[in-house]
Amino acid sequence: MSDLFKKAISLGLGLTVVSKEKVEKIVDDLVKRGELAPQESKELVNRLIERGEEEQSQIKAVVYEQVKRVLSELEVPSENDIASLEQRIAALELKVAELEAPRSE
């Protein structure tokens, strides 16, 4: 089974987009053709699904880091930058309002 598993893993990125139902169908076909013992099928499905989820997680992390890097290179303000500017604007608005308020003498 490990050789079969290695072949399945060699599909690489393909596992990340294959649904559980599709994996089960492929494994069922292997069982029907006699290339996989029925008792091994559930374990193989679980391992393939787990591997696909791991790959999805890894891809997600890589994409996240790349997007973060690009946003930084483009100097797109972060959420913290915007929040800080909003606080500064609010403080300035208060000062302007105080300066514009009529003074009683």
Side-chain angles (χ1 to χ4, degrees):
M1 183 175 104
S2 64
D3 186 46
L4 180 62
F5 184 68
K6 287 177 185 174
K7 287 179 185 177
I9 295 305
S10 71
L11 294 172
L13 210 49
L15 283 176
T16 62
V17 294
V18 175
S19 68
K20 182 177 180 181
E21 292 78 23
K22 206 161 208 154
V23 170
E24 288 172 341
K25 183 182 181 322
I26 292 168
V27 170
D28 285 344
D29 288 344
L30 291 172
V31 171
K32 287 177 188 170
R33 290 187 295 187
E35 295 180 31
L36 182 67
Q39 61 271 21
E40 295 176 321
S41 65
K42 185 173 182 167
E43 180 185 345
L44 179 59
V45 167
N46 290 338
R47 290 175 74 184
L48 290 172
I49 295 299
E50 183 179 310
R51 177 66 181 180
E53 289 171 353
E54 288 172 7
E55 286 183 2
Q56 275 184 324
S57 191
Q58 291 170 353
I59 290 170
K60 198 179 214 179
V62 168
V63 169
Y64 176 81
E65 288 304 316
Q66 290 297 320
V67 169
K68 196 168 136 180
R69 182 185 56 78
V70 168
L71 291 174
S72 176
E73 287 175 4
L74 294 174
E75 297 180 356
V76 174
S78 70
E79 190 174 342
N80 288 339
D81 295 335
I82 293 170
S84 175
L85 288 172
E86 287 173 342
Q87 289 175 348
R88 290 176 61 193
I89 290 169
L92 289 171
E93 288 174 336
L94 281 174
K95 286 183 181 180
V96 168
E98 288 173 5
L99 292 172
E100 290 179 341
R103 294 186 184 158
S104 56
E105 290 183 39

